[in-house]
Structures are given as C-alpha cells and as structure tokens.
Amino acid sequence: MRHHFACPLRWSDMDAFGHVNNVVFLRYLEEARVDFMFRLAREADAESFASGAVVARHEIDYLRPLVHRHEPVTIETWVTKLGAASATVAYEVKDGETVYARAATVIVPFDLRKGRPRRLSDAERSFLEPYLDDTFRDPAAPAPR
C-alpha cells in the first residue's frame, strides 16, 4: 500500500533554468512525509509520532526535470524498512508513469522531552506495517549478486 499526496508547485520553486530546484524536492518530500506520518498516522492513532521524529538521512535520485505548472505533482510514499528504532520511507515524485525523482528518508522516533532517540511504539509500527514493501529496490543501486 502507498500513500498518495497531491503536492502543489509554487512559482518560487523554479530555479534560473526554469525547472523545480533540487532543494525544493526535499520540501516536497517533507510535505508528503508530514501528511503521511503525522496527519494520517495521528488519525489512525492519536499517539503515533506524538513525541516526535527526526530525519537521520535523505537520499534522492533526480530522474527528469519538473517544470512549473498549475496541477499538483503526486508523491507516493511507502515504507521499505522497519527497524526497532527507525523506519525508511521511500518516495516517488510522479505524474502517472512519469517519475521525476525517487528518494528515501531514514526516520528516527525521537523523545522531544528527553532529547534522545526512542524505539518505535506499537501504535507507530501498526500504522507503518501496511505500507511496508521491502521488495522495492533502488534502480540506482547495483544489482544483487
């Protein structure tokens, strides 16, 4: 299962070359991740990610230029890895079959009050598990031997 987020493009997202700036893609991913992990997860269980989460790592492959238009771009989000104290969220920024970028973010649950990482709660794990697809392989990664 994947979460679908309609992300609007803003005129200010373009760079001097007339396409969406590479840094802006990270903002798009953030918007999709917040909608997935905070809005949707909290609708499922009010305690999910309530004490916080931090980004430990981003990885992004830019596949083709995305130019400004009035229609939103779709960001599909799912989980590729669930650990005891982290989750890897994958993304495709796309329109139909056209994929503009593929990305991944390692998220670490964080206790904001104590100022330290924590384990995924049962509620968080239960929310994320239906989105788990660990068969997805990054096309930029070397083929397994």
Side-chain angles (χ1 to χ4, degrees):
M1 184 164 62
R2 292 186 179 190
H3 172 62
H4 294 83
F5 177 72
C7 185
L9 281 67
R10 293 159 288 275
W11 183 257
S12 61
D13 294 347
M14 287 191 305
D15 62 16
F17 301 109
H19 59 266
V20 173
N21 184 276
N22 64 301
V23 174
V24 173
F25 275 85
L26 289 174
R27 186 175 343 121
Y28 292 170
L29 301 180
E30 176 186 49
E31 290 179 32
R33 188 174 59 254
V34 165
D35 189 63
F36 174 56
M37 293 182 66
F38 294 94
R39 184 196 60 82
L40 194 62
R42 287 191 181 161
E43 285 176 9
D45 183 310
E47 297 302 312
S48 288
F49 302 101
S51 73
V54 295
V55 170
R57 182 171 189 260
H58 283 301
E59 182 178 328
I60 187 166
D61 292 318
Y62 301 97
L63 305 174
R64 57 179 30 108
L66 175 59
V67 296
H68 182 270
R69 78 290 182 86
H70 296 288
E71 301 78 29
V73 67
T74 299
I75 303 176
E76 292 184 4
T77 307
W78 68 100
V79 177
T80 58
K81 184 177 179 185
L82 271 177
S86 69
T88 302
V89 178
Y91 318 81
E92 283 186 341
V93 179
K94 64 194 291 185
D95 280 325
E97 298 302 313
T98 303
V99 179
Y100 299 100
R102 286 192 179 96
T105 302
V106 176
I107 301 296
V108 175
F110 200 80
D111 187 324
L112 297 170
R113 190 175 44 78
K114 294 180 181 177
R116 65 178 189 206
R118 61 176 178 79
R119 297 174 87 68
L120 282 167
S121 71
D122 290 340
E124 292 162 345
R125 184 172 294 283
S126 293
F127 170 76
L128 295 172
E129 281 175 344
Y131 294 93
L132 181 62
D133 180 0
D134 59 3
T135 63
F136 181 79
R137 190 178 73 77
D138 181 348
R145 293 185 174 250

